[in-house]
Amino acid sequence: MLSHEQIWGAIDRLAERHDLTPSGLARRAGLDATSFNKSKRLSQDGRLRWPSTESIAKVLEATGASLEQFLSFIRPGEPPGSAAPQAISPGGNAIPLIGFAQAGSGGFFDDGGFPAGQGWDMVEFPTATGQRAGAYALEVQGESMLPLYRDGDILIVEPGAQIRKNDRVVVKTREGEVMAKVLLRQSAKSIELLSLNPEHPNRNFDLADVEWIARIIWASQ
């Protein structure tokens, strides 16, 4: 029987064969761009989500691949967590680490805000943070987050975690700006963010202008 990891791994390898991200593959097939994101592969209660046969049929048609070619991308005995060759799956308690300045560049995250691509360092963290699915670390650079966070502090971010009012969050806009703020208010169309540094203004964004938002779950201070 094919496993959840093997099927998703085959989709990721099909995307890679055509120089696409999983999101790019979904768009080419006429699907929602987030259909194949890592965040869509598990439900919020941890249950496995499988790609539909219709979705697989559409990506095969869009890429011109045959079912036999798709099956050739399936690796027997593929271990859990290895399904995405473009995503980072560190071992042990190591998680990906990147600076805020780099985080604004393209290629470091998928559309769901999960770490992807190359150029990440790795850093060891306790099991409580290191084993959360998709968790990664951001290194504070500069003084824009004083007095709460100083230059060199490490923030652990968990994409996909439920976010509530007054949570500390990291937000990336579609223009590539990455910032750490406090979520003051979120509606169906917009979000209002409180700046950590009182010398910097609060920010308001239409949700259409936000690429992703993720909760800060831990900070080294």
Side-chain angles (χ1 to χ4, degrees):
M1 180 180 295
L2 297 178
S3 71
H4 178 264
E5 289 78 20
Q6 287 173 323
I7 292 295
W8 281 114
I11 289 176
D12 290 330
R13 293 181 192 100
L14 179 62
E16 188 179 44
R17 175 64 62 89
H18 292 272
D19 296 321
L20 296 168
T21 64
S23 297
L25 178 63
R27 285 192 292 266
R28 178 177 290 189
L31 303 170
D32 185 278
T34 65
S35 297
F36 299 151
N37 284 359
K38 288 186 67 179
S39 58
K40 295 295 184 70
R41 302 180 186 189
L42 291 174
S43 64
Q44 289 188 347
D45 59 5
R47 288 180 296 175
L48 302 180
R49 284 180 173 170
W50 296 72
S52 69
T53 53
E54 180 182 8
S55 295
I56 293 175
K58 286 184 175 181
V59 298
L60 294 181
E61 181 179 1
T63 59
S66 66
L67 180 59
E68 289 75 16
Q69 289 173 320
F70 178 77
L71 293 175
S72 73
F73 292 128
I74 293 175
R75 296 175 180 172
E78 184 168 27
S82 62
Q86 291 185 340
I88 298 171
S89 300
N93 296 328
I95 61 174
L97 168 69
I98 198 173
F100 264 86
Q102 290 175 285
S105 305
F108 289 103
F109 301 94
D110 67 15
D111 290 348
F114 286 82
Q118 306 298 319
W120 294 78
D121 292 326
M122 303 301 293
V123 61
E124 291 288 334
F125 270 91
T127 301
T129 56
Q131 290 188 349
R132 294 186 184 225
Y136 60 89
L138 290 173
E139 182 177 2
V140 175
Q141 297 167 317
E143 300 180 350
S144 64
M145 301 177 201
L146 288 173
L148 189 58
Y149 301 133
R150 300 166 295 176
D151 184 66
D153 283 348
I154 302 296
L155 310 182
I156 304 298
V157 177
E158 184 182 3
Q162 185 176 3
I163 298 173
R164 300 180 178 87
K165 180 180 179 181
N166 296 324
D167 279 347
R168 296 171 186 173
V169 296
V170 173
V171 175
K172 183 177 181 183
T173 69
R174 297 199 180 277
E175 294 183 351
E177 186 177 4
V178 179
M179 65 198 81
K181 303 286 184 183
V182 175
L183 179 64
L184 283 182
R185 188 174 294 106
Q186 179 172 349
S187 69
K189 295 184 178 181
S190 64
I191 58 171
E192 182 178 348
L193 304 170
L194 172 69
S195 290
L196 303 174
N197 187 328
E199 296 183 2
H200 289 252
N202 295 343
R203 305 291 297 274
N204 296 286
F205 292 100
D206 291 337
L207 284 180
D209 296 326
V210 175
E211 186 168 325
W212 50 258
I213 179 170
R215 183 159 60 92
I216 298 171
I217 60 172
W218 189 88
S220 67
Q221 295 176 292

